[in-house]
Structure formats: structure tokens, C-alpha cells
Amino acid sequence: LLGCDVGELGKILGELEQKYPKAVSARAGIEIIHANLLASESGVDLSICFGGALQSVVTDLTITKTTSALQIARLAWREGFRIFKMKVGGEDVVGDLERLINISNELTGVRFRLDANQAFTASEALRFIEAGLNRGLHIELIEQPVPKEDLNALDEVARQSPIPVIADEACVNAQDAVRLFTETAVHGVNVKIMKSGIAGTLEIIKLAKAANRKLMIGCMLESHVGIAASVALACGTGAFEYVDLDAHKLVIDPEGEQGYRSEGALLLSN
């Protein structure tokens, strides 16, 4: 890529996709370089290049299956976080439910997004959702409750769930999105630049809108470079009902925030 013209990068990316079809994150990095260069040459913020719909978005904060969940939630609540994405599923579902109840009982106005990471069967997922709602928990959605290849189970949960079901691992590219939207009742998909690339993410957005499905944007613990691009895309398109861009709170990035700013749960594209 050294010495090539910025205008040639689009063609080069197409060639790289054919040569390295599975190296999505690496190609996404080049897409981010391309997008940042185009924005810099135009003299505008990257979010403007994506449409300029919003100036900011509100993210949740991920809390893992840890005994210190309540302490983490307390600190985050003081910073302004009101939405927690809770990891659930596996052997200790009773403990998972207790973590949510303890947080809800102590902190005012919290909402939960459940992330099962494929850990449930369809019946287990539905039972867990029911148990949480019966305890008065404000649950916004459940993400990838069942194994990614089991579309029948995903469809079963989506058809019976009283809350939105969002596919994550089951939706990597546009072809996956088409299959999900035609073969299941899943309510929406979680897209990530590092999972699908910028071009792939934009294509999935179009497909989801056409199918009248919900959109969530997530991250994969990338540095400020990836988060800044995701924040710009989320603000620029204004397409996402759910935002999960919290890597800046979960990893140590020596260079800190660049290309975006965070004010508690608020993310602003520079």
C-alpha cells in the first residue's frame, strides 16, 4: 500500500478481499485508514462522511460473569452509565439472575441487555428471560442466545420472546444477514466493523432497514482507532437503536481517546 493513491484503495480492498477472504479485521483496518484519509482530505469529521445524522450516541457497559459485578455497576452508574450488557448463560444461571437482581435493586433506572454468547438452548433462553421479567428487571434485549449455526433455535426464541432477540455470531456478513432475515424471525443483528468491515457493515445496515429489523453496533475490544471509526459510523448513519462501544472502558489503550470523546456513557465523534 505504500505510495499508492488514496483513490486506489477501494480497488485494492476489493483485491485483498478476494485474496484474504477470512482476514476481515486486517482488511477492516485498511478500510479505516482509507476512510480517515478521505475525511482528512475533505476537511470534515469522519461521521460527516457517513451521513452526519447525529453528534453523539449513548453506549452500554459490558459486565462479565464476575463476583464484583455490583461494584463495577456502582462505579459505572456514578459515571452516568444506565445500560449494562450482562454476560449470562452456562452452568450458573441462578447466579446470573442474582447479579442482575442485585444491581437492579440498588441502582435506580438501570436497563439490561443480556449477552448469552450462544450459551443457551432455546428453552433455557426463554425460561431465563421469563424469570428476569417476573422479577421486575428492565431487560431490553437478548443477544445470540443459542449456537450460531442453529437457526431453528434462534427462530424459536425470537418467535416466543417478549423482548427483542439480536443475532451476533450468526451474522458476520451480508449473506448471513439475508439468511437470518429470510429464515428466522430474529428481531435484529449486532454489526461490528472488526467482524464485517466498514463496507460489509454498511451493506448489513441497508439489508436490516429493508427487512424492518433492529440494528445494534458492537466492538471487539479494539483500540481507539477502531472505536473512533465505529463511533463515527454510529453517529454518521444514525442507524442503531442499541450501541455497545465500550472498549475504551475495558482495555488499557496507551494513546487514550483519539478521533472521539467519551463523557460517561456519551460518545461523541470529533
Side-chain angles (χ1 to χ4, degrees):
L1 298 177
L2 292 177
C4 78
D5 187 273
V6 175
E8 298 175 350
L9 274 176
K11 177 184 176 183
I12 292 171
L13 281 163
E15 295 171 351
L16 290 175
E17 183 175 6
Q18 292 184 351
K19 190 171 184 180
Y20 305 105
K22 295 183 179 181
V24 181
S25 294
R27 288 188 282 108
I30 299 171
E31 284 184 292
I32 292 171
I33 293 171
H34 188 199
N36 285 333
L37 285 171
L38 291 176
S40 178
E41 285 197 346
S42 303
V44 298
D45 182 79
L46 182 56
S47 65
I48 302 299
C49 297
F50 287 129
L54 304 170
Q55 293 183 330
S56 64
V57 291
V58 176
T59 183
D60 58 27
L61 179 75
T62 301
I63 299 180
T64 60
K65 295 163 70 71
T66 172
T67 55
S68 59
L70 179 56
Q71 293 92 317
I72 293 169
R74 284 174 183 150
L75 292 173
W77 192 88
R78 291 171 193 158
E79 290 185 29
F81 286 89
R82 295 296 182 269
I83 311 171
F84 299 116
K85 190 172 91 158
M86 308 295 296
K87 299 291 184 179
V88 298
E91 295 181 359
D92 188 18
V93 293
V94 173
D96 292 342
L97 189 59
E98 287 179 353
R99 284 188 296 117
L100 273 69
I101 292 170
N102 291 338
I103 292 171
S104 181
N105 285 344
E106 180 170 325
L107 303 177
T108 305
V110 297
R111 291 172 280 161
F112 297 110
R113 295 168 183 170
L114 309 180
D115 185 7
N117 286 119
Q118 313 177 69
F120 287 128
T121 64
S123 59
E124 288 171 343
L126 291 166
R127 284 198 301 270
F128 191 89
I129 293 167
E130 182 181 16
L133 294 177
N134 286 342
R135 295 299 297 267
L137 300 178
H138 186 165
I139 304 175
E140 285 191 337
L141 61 84
I142 184 167
E143 184 182 339
Q144 198 62 53
V146 296
K148 61 183 181 180
E149 66 278 358
D150 195 346
L151 296 193
N152 289 333
L154 187 63
D155 182 55
E156 181 182 348
V157 178
R159 290 186 184 280
Q160 298 185 50
S161 173
I163 62 171
V165 176
I166 307 297
D168 180 9
E169 287 86 353
C171 186
V172 175
N173 52 44
Q175 291 77 15
D176 292 336
V178 169
R179 189 179 177 196
L180 284 166
F181 298 156
T182 55
E183 297 183 18
T184 80
V186 70
H187 299 89
V189 292
N190 184 352
V191 296
K192 302 170 183 176
I193 289 180
M194 289 298 122
K195 179 174 68 171
S196 307
I198 291 178
T201 295
L202 292 172
E203 185 64 25
I204 294 171
I205 290 173
K206 288 191 291 186
L207 291 167
K209 286 184 172 294
N212 196 28
R213 309 296 175 99
K214 299 177 184 294
L215 281 160
M216 180 177 186
I217 186 167
C219 58
M220 298 175 73
L221 297 179
E222 54 264 36
S223 73
H224 70 276
V225 177
I227 292 299
S230 295
V231 172
L233 191 146
C235 289
T237 62
F240 301 97
E241 188 166 346
Y242 313 112
V243 175
D244 175 37
L245 299 177
D246 58 352
H248 63 295
K249 303 297 294 184
L250 305 176
V251 298
I252 297 174
D253 185 347
E255 298 188 33
E257 297 172 7
Q258 294 185 37
Y260 74 100
R261 290 180 291 117
S262 70
E263 298 175 2
L266 193 69
L267 299 176
L268 304 96
S269 185
N270 287 345

